Amino acid sequence: LVSVHEPLLVAVLIAVFGFLSAILQPVTGALSDWTRRPKLLIQIGLGIMIAATVGFIWAGQYVDLLWLRVVQGIGLAFTVPASLALMAIGTRHGTRGGSMGIFTTMRIVGFSMGPLLGGFLLVHFGFSATFGVAAGLVALGIAAGGVWGSEQTPLRERRKVRLFESGLFTPGILAIATATMVMAAAFSEIVPLEKQINAHTGESAIGFGLSFTALMVSRLLLQFPLGRLSDHIGRKPLVIGGLLILAPATALLATSQSTWALAGWRVMQGVAAAAIAAPAFAIAGDLAKGGGEGRQMSAATMGFTMGIAVGPLLAGWLVSYSFELPFIVTAVLCIASAAAIFRFVPETVRRTGRH
């Protein structure tokens, strides 16, 4: 393993989690539609995540980490499509963009706070305490869901559910899945390139961490307002505009010569991602058909998770040819995805009206 290119090794660890979860999400989405029990599936997924998180305490070598990431991927696959299915069922069309904005904002808070809390616990309390606390927080999520959550779905006779139904996976749904994949790939591809980026910018690990967090901060501030805005002006313009902003912001990351420049382009990526995420999930919810919410929303969540996996893996491979190449390729994909949204995705706000 030591002879393998280090960024690619890191990327594989990330990609195993993402690819497995993405592959399983349509299956768990179909399971949600069949059982009509998305809340139960969420709790099962969180329980699996607890087991995997505790397992990191005893991980002694790289292969242990790989297996634990596999288990985490399975847990995520149970949790995310069922969560979005509940959102699609339990939200109204006229406020769905804002609701999705709240949902994605809370995901960002967790994604941002995890490394900060983990670093603090590691320094002050040790390795085992870090993962023990993380598992405890997931358990708290299970308890909160049990107390305040509800299935939101009427009990009815169980019908035959096919994993893939052509009427559910429309060109619009697939274009939204592609957009979320490209978005996630664009902001996750720097993860395995920390050393290369630090060499270009002359910054330290702290500077890189601040630049990485800059995207999360801008997304955190803008996710809900832009999601709510999509309820009024339409969702499609925001998704297309976000992708067209994301393209140059991603390409220009390769030109960064300082921490401030890198952080600035990451902020722009965050603005773009905020314009894409909540409106895209809202479109998927608008297009979802009764009884098919789990499978249709799983397409959007699968795209996002696949992007988290593809971005680092693609970057870890392409950087061996040129430092700039990963960013250029992803920028081109952003433009192509914007064209697909324009061509295939209907404007659901204008088409169905506000309720």
Side-chain angles (χ1 to χ4, degrees):
L1 287 176
V2 294
S3 63
V4 178
H5 189 44
E6 186 173 338
L8 188 58
L9 224 172
V10 175
V12 167
L13 195 60
I14 299 168
V16 164
F17 168 79
F19 278 127
L20 181 64
S21 178
I23 291 169
L24 290 178
Q25 283 182 32
V27 178
T28 57
L31 187 60
S32 174
D33 290 337
W34 182 66
T35 63
R36 307 302 291 171
R37 299 289 301 277
K39 174 186 167 182
L40 176 62
L41 295 184
I42 293 169
Q43 293 180 311
I44 290 173
L46 291 176
I48 294 171
M49 293 292 287
I50 289 176
T53 302
V54 171
F56 278 98
I57 296 174
W58 294 282
Q61 48 190 322
Y62 186 81
V63 69
D64 297 335
L65 300 179
L66 283 174
W67 281 113
L68 289 169
R69 293 294 278 175
V70 165
V71 178
Q72 283 188 323
I74 295 171
L76 186 72
F78 271 92
T79 303
V80 176
S83 299
L84 267 296
L86 270 181
M87 291 292 295
I89 295 166
T91 56
R92 294 186 304 161
H93 179 275
T95 58
R96 185 168 288 132
S99 299
M100 291 297 182
I102 294 173
F103 175 82
T104 53
T105 296
M106 296 309 296
R107 290 181 68 183
I108 297 163
V109 170
F111 193 70
S112 302
M113 291 300 296
L116 293 175
L117 178 62
F120 173 82
L121 291 171
L122 181 64
V123 170
H124 294 281
F125 298 99
F127 186 81
S128 297
T130 301
F131 290 100
V133 170
L137 290 174
V138 179
L140 185 62
I142 294 177
V147 173
W148 291 304
S150 60
E151 288 293 0
Q152 295 283 350
T153 54
L155 293 175
R156 63 190 188 188
E157 185 179 348
R158 208 174 272 151
R159 65 181 180 87
K160 183 178 181 180
V161 172
R162 289 185 295 173
L163 182 58
F164 295 105
E165 292 185 28
S166 58
L168 296 180
F169 297 100
T170 63
I173 288 288
L174 296 178
I176 287 297
T178 302
T180 59
M181 181 181 72
V182 171
M183 174 194 71
F187 67 68
S188 67
E189 66 181 350
I190 74 167
V191 173
L193 304 181
E194 178 177 356
K195 288 186 177 180
Q196 288 82 354
I197 291 173
N198 288 349
H200 274 73
T201 60
E203 65 182 12
S204 64
I206 294 176
F208 180 86
L210 291 173
S211 299
F212 185 86
T213 305
L215 179 145
M216 300 301 171
V217 172
S218 56
R219 276 195 69 183
L220 181 64
L221 294 175
L222 294 175
Q223 193 73 87
F224 172 71
L226 290 177
R228 193 70 186 97
L229 182 63
S230 76
D231 291 327
H232 297 285
I233 69 170
R235 317 204 196 283
K236 187 173 173 178
L238 288 172
V239 177
I240 293 175
L243 287 165
L244 293 179
I245 293 172
L246 188 59
T250 301
L252 290 169
L253 282 172
T255 68
S256 302
Q257 297 295 318
S258 68
T259 299
W260 291 112
L262 182 65
W265 294 124
R266 290 289 286 177
V267 167
M268 290 304 299
Q269 281 191 312
V271 172
I276 297 166
F281 286 133
I283 290 176
D286 293 341
L287 297 177
K289 299 178 180 179
E293 297 93 351
R295 282 164 291 172
Q296 288 182 290
M297 297 306 292
S298 75
T301 62
M302 179 180 68
F304 182 86
T305 309
M306 188 71 76
I308 295 291
V310 168
L313 195 62
L314 187 66
W317 172 53
L318 292 178
V319 76
S320 61
Y321 297 96
S322 166
F323 174 72
E324 295 81 7
L325 190 58
F327 304 103
I328 295 171
V329 169
T330 309
V332 171
L333 292 175
C334 289
I335 296 171
S337 182
I341 295 292
F342 180 80
R343 173 66 178 84
F344 296 111
V345 177
E347 180 43 79
T348 55
V349 170
R350 291 173 189 156
R351 178 170 62 84
T352 59
R354 288 189 286 271
H355 301 306

